[in-house]
Every structure is written in structure tokens, then in C-alpha cells.
Amino acid sequence: MTTSTTSRHQRAERPACRFADDLLYLRAVDRRHPAGAAGRTTRPQGAGGWDNAALLGRLVAPGGHVWTVDVDIDLVDTATRHLEAAGASNVTAGLADGATGLPERAPFDRIVFTVGAGDIPLPVLDQLATDGRLVIPMRIRGSVSRSFAFERDGETWKTVSCEMATFVPMRKGICDDVRTTICLAGQGDVQLETYGEQAVDREAMRTVLDRPSHKVYTGVKFRQGSGWEWVYLWLACVLPNGLSRMPGRRPGFTPHFAWGSMAALDGESLAYLTVREGDDADGRYWEIGVIGHGPHATSLAEQVATEVQAWDRDHGNDAPAPGFRMATAAHRGLLGVGDPRFVIDKPNSRLVVDWP
């Protein structure tokens, strides 16, 4: 997570906090979620990404500062040595839980996480300047997550940008996001990601692919370059347990990507996405299908297929992107909602997805 602070000559210096440990994400911050500018002070969390912190230090110079924090002392010590060797005099590495922030350095102009969160860490919101911005990759439901750039909108929060993103979950802190990976029995190396909020029989999942299957195709055709992010988001919202990543290979497992698939879970059953290729008057296509396994294979596969069809009929990839609003738990009631399926309530926050 990264927090940035802007210092201006007309006022006392304000720190900006950044928690960073991934260069790709730093680029995303620079291009889509601007987090650094001259005169800002930045504090990254995730000291293992000391090189990102050093780069951010250049962005906030002159006059700005970067703090990068991590929960592992060995990473902090390594970062300190590298930062000194790089001459990054305006970057400081420290031992801390990024979810609690650095209250002694607040307020910050920017707080940017580059670790995945399952919810909004409330302490850092209080450390943002009035016009500050929080950038955080947050899981919506299951494995589907997005990187949100939030700014205040009265007592609630609006997004100024939002990108599909997945990061290693937070750990060892007040906002750690516990992920349980299930290794499926039998040939191959197929795994299934599960999270605490999902109602799933994890023991039954180990052998679920050995259970009878049910396959259904949706009639929804993707073309070369079609994106999956919006259908993933739709399914994450409308299915009770969202979608889970299901990477790996094994005989008889036909996922929609070479790395694996995304699966809907329901107790002892799952249904994963697949595709079949074909050609029509418009050229090559990949038709979305669903393969269910387990005692509820048929009903779950049909449910997922129906929702894919509903998304394609009502929105699809050519529609405007949905918007997002967030409120902390204390202000949930301030967010007006339409379809309750697109209200994601978590212990600390409420996220509303506004489909156009």
C-alpha cells in the first residue's frame, strides 16, 4: 500500500502514504490512479518493493517524502540497505501494519495499497487529507477483485477510476484476507481458491471433479479481444458465493483459459467456465459454456449460464462501464441502491455497483 503526502510552501508538509510491492501496479498508479506529484510525501507499505518506493520518491521530489512499510522485518532491513545504496534520501522504510497506517505522519494526500484487501481498513481513512485519495485492490466476492481509487464525496466515497487487478492478500494484520487453497485430488494440479465468506464444503471440493458433470452452452459469443472483466464482475455480484479462481490442468478439465478457469461454488458443487470455438458470418468466435460437477451440477451450471445470458442481453462488453460507490459501515444507509444484488456489504464497508 502506498501513501503519498504533498508538502506545499504555503502550509505545513503533509505526508502521503504508499504501500507498494509491485512495479506493474506502480505503473497503474502512475497512469490511471495518479499517486505521485512533486512536493508530495509518500509512504509505501510493502517494503519488499523498495525499488518502487525509490521511483515514487523521484515523483514526489523535490520536497516530498516516501514512507514504505511492511510487516516483515527482514524485508524492511533489505529495503533500507537498497534505498541507501540507491541514494533515495527522501524514502524511509519501516516496520508496521499497513492497514493501521502511520497516524503520527498523517494527514496523507495519497494512500495506495499494493496488497489485496478483503475490506476497507478504516484507520487509514482517518489519515487521509480532506482532498486525499485511497487506492486499494479489494476483493468484491470470491476471487474477483478490482483496484479502486476512492475520493470523498460528503460522508461517502466515489471512485475516480477502477481497474481489474489481483494481488497477494494482506496478512499478519488487522485487515488480513485469509485465502484457503484447495488442491483437488486425482491427476493433474488443479487448485481452487476459497475465502471465508464463501459457503462451500472444502473437503467435498477435493474430489468434486470426479463427480458426474453437466455441461451447458450459453449462446454468448466472444470475439478476438473480447474482455472478461465485466462478466466476471456481474457473476461475482449475482451469484451467492461469487467466482473463485481455479488454476491448473488435468485430464477432462476444459477451462476457458490455458491457466485455468473461474468457478461458481455452492456447498458440495461447483460450475466452471469453458468455451468452444467456432466460425460464423462474423468470423471466429468463442462461445461461453459452463460445466457443473457435484450433487447440484445441473442447477448450478444452469444458474451460471442464465446469468451470463442476462449480462450479455442487458449490458455486454459494448455497454458503458459500471460505476462504484463506497461507504463505511457507519454510513451504509447514505448509499441509495436499486437492485440489491449489486450491493456488497462487508463488516467495515458497503460497495454499490451501478450498472448503466
Side-chain angles (χ1 to χ4, degrees):
M1 164 181 144
T2 302
T3 310
S4 253
T5 292
T6 304
S7 56
R8 300 189 177 97
H9 296 298
Q10 295 87 351
R11 68 182 182 195
E13 179 174 322
R14 295 195 316 198
C17 165
R18 169 177 183 269
F19 291 15
D21 50 18
D22 189 297
L23 182 57
L24 177 62
Y25 188 64
L26 178 62
R27 289 173 180 159
V29 168
D30 290 345
R31 295 173 183 172
R32 298 181 181 272
H33 304 324
R40 294 188 184 276
T41 307
T42 302
R43 182 204 71 194
Q45 194 258 327
W50 64 268
D51 50 346
N52 294 346
L55 290 171
L56 205 67
R58 287 180 172 269
L59 292 178
V60 302
H65 196 88
V66 175
W67 284 273
T68 177
V69 303
D70 202 286
V71 294
D72 290 325
I73 187 61
D74 57 333
L75 293 180
V76 173
D77 289 343
T78 299
T80 299
R81 292 195 301 271
H82 284 303
L83 290 168
E84 290 176 352
S89 59
N90 68 334
V91 182
T92 302
L95 183 68
D97 175 8
T100 64
L102 289 177
E104 68 275 15
R105 299 290 184 178
F108 299 113
D109 294 298
R110 298 289 187 269
I111 300 177
V112 182
F113 285 79
T114 55
V115 287
D119 199 353
I120 298 293
L122 297 180
V124 303
L125 296 182
D126 294 332
Q127 297 171 35
L128 273 175
T130 302
D131 58 349
R133 177 179 297 173
L134 170 69
V135 179
I136 183 169
M138 186 171 69
R139 280 195 315 104
I140 295 174
R141 189 176 285 135
S143 299
V144 175
S145 66
R146 299 186 66 84
S147 177
F148 297 91
F150 289 115
E151 291 183 354
R152 285 185 175 87
D153 185 17
E155 294 294 336
T156 62
W157 299 75
K158 63 183 179 181
T159 53
V160 293
S161 66
C162 182
E163 301 292 328
M164 187 167 66
T166 299
F167 287 83
V168 174
M170 294 185 72
R171 58 194 176 88
K172 296 184 179 180
I174 65 169
C175 205
D176 58 338
D177 195 22
V178 179
R179 179 176 67 195
T180 301
T181 299
I182 301 168
C183 296
L184 274 62
Q187 300 181 56
D189 59 356
V190 178
Q191 299 179 331
L192 183 66
E193 289 183 0
T194 65
Y195 291 86
E197 80 274 7
Q198 293 177 304
V200 55
D201 186 330
R202 290 169 175 79
E203 184 59 31
M205 285 296 111
R206 294 187 64 255
T207 57
V208 70
L209 291 184
D210 297 323
R211 305 290 296 272
S213 66
H214 176 78
K215 182 187 297 185
V216 58
Y217 284 95
T218 63
V220 176
K221 298 177 180 179
F222 274 12
R223 306 289 175 173
Q224 184 70 38
S226 295
W228 288 82
E229 65 172 311
W230 301 125
V231 69
Y232 286 169
L233 177 64
W234 179 274
L235 294 176
C237 292
V238 301
L239 298 175
N241 290 301
L243 286 180
S244 285
R245 278 174 51 88
M246 192 177 178
R249 297 181 179 181
R250 66 172 274 170
F253 178 51
T254 55
H256 67 306
F257 280 117
W259 62 262
S261 190
M262 299 292 282
L265 312 179
D266 181 14
E268 301 176 19
S269 303
L270 66 72
Y272 67 87
L273 299 177
T274 188
V275 292
R276 62 180 175 187
E277 295 185 47
D279 291 284
D280 60 15
D282 296 321
R284 174 69 62 176
Y285 66 80
W286 288 262
E287 182 185 358
I288 300 176
V290 187
I291 300 177
H293 286 269
H296 306 296
T298 299
S299 60
L300 183 58
E302 296 288 347
Q303 179 185 12
V304 176
T306 297
E307 291 299 348
V308 171
Q309 293 164 342
W311 165 80
D312 183 64
R313 180 187 65 245
D314 298 337
H315 302 282
N317 279 327
D318 294 330
F324 303 86
R325 294 172 289 143
M326 187 270 288
T328 59
H331 299 101
R332 293 183 199 274
L334 296 180
L335 290 184
V337 299
D339 191 331
R341 297 181 301 168
F342 303 110
V343 178
I344 311 299
D345 275 320
K346 297 173 177 287
N348 295 342
S349 64
R350 165 174 284 183
L351 180 71
V352 175
V353 183
D354 296 313
W355 291 89

